[in-house]
């Protein structure tokens, strides 16, 4: 009985040739789409940002903290990830843009920004977001720290063109 | 009521939510994000807001009862609350949060407690209104298919 069950499982795991082609096509399409890493401790703002970015057909990964973002980027244990050919590919991840909330508990948006800019991910554009008008010394500090832009939340559909501009800037030069 | 009557009523309800200052243009952003892939996006995010903010309210309540008053903690919670309510376009709730934060910055515990009552009130009123609004939309959707 058990032998038969495991046989069935093996059979189910082998995709048909047609499905294989579809999967490969899907993976190719995903490779071509921009991938945004969104960092925000607010569950509502994550959902909002995800929807907003998906509306532009971007791939989105949302994480809830600076620590989780560092983990995703392979920067959590202070070791530099193995470098690879493309400036945006590490750890098997491709990241074209990082959008982070400014005020988060633990690792703040500014801390995250500095860590990113001091790592092999330094060429990935970073946008910092805040839910309120921060004093200009703070937004300037972020810009001097390497952020592309400081944006006010909640983000709107009309802000997407700014995001697209940063993504297009990030394309490798030939 | 026929389907056109229902749609008119829904449009009226929606307009009054804006006219009476319960919602602002951020709510329209939510509506614009709703599409065939996510046909219930607005309702989902509003539901998420109420789940999340209920948790925050409980935390704030606890913090308000402890002495000495931890204004820094209160401000942190209220920053989150204000951020979320602003993200869904809850206009009155957001402005009450701003008032609370001013009293918090001034270290006025009594005023914070009073202000918090207003926040809870507006929070509850909006919830009822939005629940009714979504209910009406649900009924209209059913009416359209019959």
């Amino acid at each position: 009985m058990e032998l038969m069950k495991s046989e069935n499982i093996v059979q189910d795991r082998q995709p048909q040739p047609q499905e294989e082609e579809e999967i490969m096509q899907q993976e190719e399409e995903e490779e071509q789409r921009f991938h945004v890493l969104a960092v925000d401790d607010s569950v509502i703002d994550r959902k909002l940002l995800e929807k907003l970015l998906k509306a532009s057909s971007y791939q989105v990964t949302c994480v809830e903290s600076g620590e989780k973002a560092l983990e995703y980027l392979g920067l959590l244990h202070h070791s530099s990830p193995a470098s690879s050919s493309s400036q945006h590919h590490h750890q098997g991840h491709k990241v074209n843009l990082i959008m982070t909330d400014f005020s988060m508990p633990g690792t703040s948006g500014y801390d995250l920004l500095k860590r990113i800019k001091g790592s092999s991910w330094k060429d990935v554009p970073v946008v910092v977001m805040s839910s309120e008008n921060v004093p200009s010394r703070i937004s300037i500090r972020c810009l001097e720290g390497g952020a592309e832009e400081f944006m006010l939340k909640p983000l709107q559909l009309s802000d997407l063109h700014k995001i697209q501009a940063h993504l297009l800037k990030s394309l490798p030069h030939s | 009521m026929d389907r056109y009557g229902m749609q008119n009523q829904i449009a009226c309800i929606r307009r009054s939510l804006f006219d009476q200052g319960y919602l602002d243009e951020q709510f329209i952003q939510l509506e614009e994000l709703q599409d065939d892939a996510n046909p219930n996006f607005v309702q989902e995010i509003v539901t998420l807001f109420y789940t999340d903010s209920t948790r925050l309210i409980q935390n704030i309540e606890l913090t308000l009862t402890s002495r000495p008053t931890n204004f820094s903690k209160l401000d942190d919670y209220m920053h989150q609350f204000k951020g979320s309510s602003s993200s869904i376009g809850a206009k009155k709730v957001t402005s009450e949060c701003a008032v609370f934060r001013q009293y918090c910055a001034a270290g006025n515990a009594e005023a914070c407690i009073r202000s918090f009552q207003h926040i809870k009130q507006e929070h509850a009123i909006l919830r009822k209104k939005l629940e009714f609004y979504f209910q009406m939309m649900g009924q209209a959707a059913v009416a359209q298919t019959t």
Side-chain angles (χ1 to χ4, degrees):
Chain A
M1 222 20 175
E2 278 189 22
L3 262 173
M4 277 177 69
K5 265 193 353 191
S6 57
E7 263 177 35
N8 282 337
I9 291 168
V10 169
Q11 267 187 346
D12 286 339
R13 278 163 103 212
Q14 277 177 355
Q16 302 304 310
Q18 260 180 320
E19 287 169 15
E20 258 185 43
E21 214 178 279
E22 276 174 25
I23 292 168
M24 273 175 60
Q25 217 177 13
Q26 212 174 32
E27 281 175 2
E28 262 179 48
E29 279 170 13
E30 275 179 17
E31 263 296 300
Q32 286 165 12
R33 288 194 288 160
F34 285 129
H35 180 220
V36 181
L37 177 65
V39 192
D40 200 316
D41 60 320
S42 160
V43 62
I44 286 111
D45 287 341
R46 282 200 302 277
K47 188 175 171 86
L48 204 51
L49 197 53
E50 184 183 45
K51 191 72 184 73
L52 201 70
L53 293 169
K54 282 187 169 166
S56 284
S57 302
Y58 301 141
Q59 248 190 301
V60 191
T61 299
C62 287
V63 296
E64 64 193 9
S65 68
E67 286 83 16
K68 287 264 153 70
L70 290 171
E71 191 179 18
Y72 184 85
L73 297 169
L75 298 176
L76 201 52
H77 302 293
H78 302 278
S79 55
S80 9
S83 59
S84 69
S85 48
S86 164
Q87 60 194 185
H88 302 307
H89 279 77
H90 296 298
Q91 303 287 105
H93 301 317
K94 171 193 75 170
V95 179
N96 300 104
L97 175 70
I98 297 166
M99 296 184 70
T100 179
D101 188 27
F102 177 72
S103 49
M104 296 186 292
T107 306
S108 72
Y110 182 76
D111 297 332
L112 181 61
L113 170 70
K114 296 300 281 180
R115 287 295 311 277
I116 290 166
K117 291 302 168 185
S119 77
S120 40
W121 293 100
K122 61 179 160 54
D123 292 323
V124 178
V126 181
V127 168
V128 182
M129 305 173 289
S130 174
S131 58
E132 48 196 16
N133 268 311
V134 297
S136 49
R137 62 179 166 80
I138 289 180
S139 53
I140 285 170
R141 201 162 156 246
C142 286
L143 295 171
E144 286 176 345
E148 300 295 323
E149 191 166 0
F150 199 96
M151 293 175 82
L152 216 54
K153 289 199 295 184
L155 262 63
Q156 308 200 318
L157 283 161
S158 55
D159 292 320
L160 283 173
H161 72 280
K162 295 188 203 171
I163 293 166
Q164 187 179 48
H166 294 308
L167 282 166
L168 291 172
K169 268 196 301 193
S170 79
L171 287 173
H173 304 293
S174 47
Chain B
M1 190 183 295
D2 71 343
R3 67 180 71 158
Y4 299 113
M6 280 192 94
Q7 287 184 0
N8 277 335
Q9 197 180 31
I10 290 167
C12 275
I13 295 168
R14 185 181 169 280
R15 201 165 35 243
S16 74
L17 287 170
F18 288 99
D19 291 345
Q20 289 170 23
Y22 289 103
L23 297 176
D24 62 31
E25 58 276 358
Q26 179 58 21
F27 191 83
I28 299 173
Q29 279 293 303
L30 302 183
E31 291 174 323
E32 287 182 353
L33 283 171
Q34 188 161 288
D35 55 20
D36 292 333
N38 279 109
N40 298 311
F41 178 71
V42 182
Q43 196 167 349
E44 280 169 15
I45 203 168
V46 167
T47 305
L48 193 61
F49 168 73
Y50 274 100
T51 309
D52 193 55
S53 55
T54 301
R55 173 189 62 89
L56 276 169
I57 284 173
Q58 285 166 0
N59 287 338
I60 293 167
E61 221 133 38
L62 261 166
T63 313
L64 274 172
T65 54
S66 44
R67 296 282 176 275
T69 312
N70 190 338
F71 288 107
S72 167
K73 205 171 183 182
L74 282 174
D75 190 65
D76 273 345
Y77 285 136
M78 201 45 75
H79 168 85
Q80 289 177 52
F81 201 141
K82 182 166 170 277
S84 306
S85 61
S86 150
S87 289
I88 67 155
K91 195 174 182 179
K92 287 196 188 196
V93 177
T94 306
S95 41
E96 290 296 345
C97 288
V99 170
F100 183 103
R101 291 186 83 196
Q102 283 175 347
Y103 289 134
C104 206
N108 189 339
E110 288 307 309
C112 280
I113 292 167
R114 278 198 312 270
S115 170
F116 189 55
Q117 296 314 309
H118 290 146
I119 292 172
K120 285 194 291 184
Q121 237 169 8
E122 290 300 337
H123 185 254
I125 289 169
L126 180 63
R127 183 179 207 159
K128 279 264 155 335
K129 287 184 181 286
L130 286 174
E131 271 171 6
F132 178 63
Y133 174 58
F134 290 134
Q135 199 177 34
M136 290 296 289
M137 290 211 295
Q139 283 175 16
V142 169
Q144 267 186 326
T145 58
T146 51

